Amino acid sequence: MKSWVRPLAGLGLAASVAACAPPEAPGAQLDPRLPTENFKADVADEPHELALAVHGWGLSQNQASALTDFAVGWQASGAVPIRIHVPTGVDPAIARRFGEMVREHLSKEGVPDEAMQMVESGGDNVLRVGYLRRVAVVPECGVQWSDLRRSAANEVQPNFGCAVTANIAAQIAEPNDLLGPRPSEPVDAGRRATVLDKYRKGQNTAAEVDKRADGAVSRAVQ
């Protein structure tokens, strides 16, 4: 009789201890539900600047080319303000005129005048033009290691999922996609009306198949 009384007593003691366990504190950090949730690609804003040597005779060919690429990158980043930092360590008239040349070149490349702001800054003979762009923050892998030969708790290793997340963050073209999906484009109301009209008439609503676009490289001659 004693052989089954002791196990039951142990189960009762374990149940009582579990019932007395304190609840999770508000705001407590819970373990991820999946191993792939251990790491997450974050998004941050970082300055993107272009340093140009001030010339009294104007922009060089390399500087003009660099400003053109700069304008293309700005247009892809969204409507963020551009600041042109005019140095105060050189002739003020030359630095101001050079800054106006930079502003005019960016305006020709499609940057609106209201998006650019000229400010005075320190520095010697170097004009800086820049803006804050959104970038994906890649998680750092390999910070914590465990013995891969042992897993007494049958849990995954600390770095599991980090490499995949880091690769996605490094390859993504638009970091804003990490924050949420893009808004849907307007529907094609004309096509929808055509399909509904055919559906009401009992006609085939699928588009006609173009036999010239079947992908065949060659055909056998009969």
Side-chain angles (χ1 to χ4, degrees):
M1 182 173 180
K2 293 182 180 180
S3 59
W4 59 269
V5 171
R6 290 183 178 178
L8 289 179
L11 291 175
L13 179 60
S16 62
V17 171
C20 297
E24 292 290 344
Q29 185 69 29
L30 302 178
D31 292 336
R33 297 182 59 187
L34 299 174
T36 52
E37 297 177 356
N38 289 335
F39 302 93
K40 181 180 179 181
D42 202 357
V43 178
D45 293 331
E46 70 174 14
H48 177 59
E49 290 188 341
L50 186 63
L52 304 174
V54 177
H55 302 305
W57 41 266
L59 295 171
S60 66
Q61 183 176 358
N62 291 337
Q63 289 175 339
S65 178
L67 284 172
T68 299
D69 296 338
F70 181 87
V72 173
W74 176 85
Q75 293 171 355
S77 66
V80 293
I82 294 178
R83 286 196 171 188
I84 303 174
H85 299 267
V86 180
T88 57
V90 294
D91 188 340
I94 295 178
R96 185 73 181 182
R97 184 165 60 250
F98 187 81
E100 291 293 343
M101 292 179 182
V102 171
R103 186 187 187 105
E104 291 176 2
H105 187 89
L106 292 176
S107 180
K108 292 179 182 179
E109 297 297 332
V111 180
D113 291 337
E114 58 271 15
M116 293 181 285
Q117 180 183 8
M118 294 186 64
V119 296
E120 292 185 354
S121 63
D124 186 15
N125 203 35
V126 175
L127 181 143
R128 298 184 182 275
V129 52
Y131 61 91
L132 290 178
R133 64 178 178 179
R134 185 154 289 179
V135 296
V137 180
V138 180
E140 185 177 0
C141 303
V143 177
Q144 180 182 359
W145 289 95
S146 59
D147 191 351
L148 302 179
R149 300 168 301 176
R150 300 180 58 185
S151 180
N154 196 27
E155 296 178 351
V156 297
Q157 305 305 321
N159 288 296
F160 186 81
C162 185
V164 175
T165 305
N167 289 336
I168 293 177
Q171 298 177 44
I172 191 169
E174 177 52 60
N176 288 324
D177 292 340
L178 295 173
L179 302 177
R182 301 184 185 184
S184 301
E185 297 181 354
V187 298
D188 188 349
R191 178 60 184 166
R192 180 176 59 184
T194 301
V195 173
L196 289 177
D197 184 60
K198 289 184 177 182
Y199 175 77
R200 294 188 182 99
K201 295 179 181 180
Q203 300 176 357
N204 185 14
T205 59
E208 296 183 3
V209 178
D210 188 357
K211 297 181 180 180
R212 297 172 298 179
D214 58 0
V217 179
S218 61
R219 302 180 186 278
V221 178
Q222 302 294 335

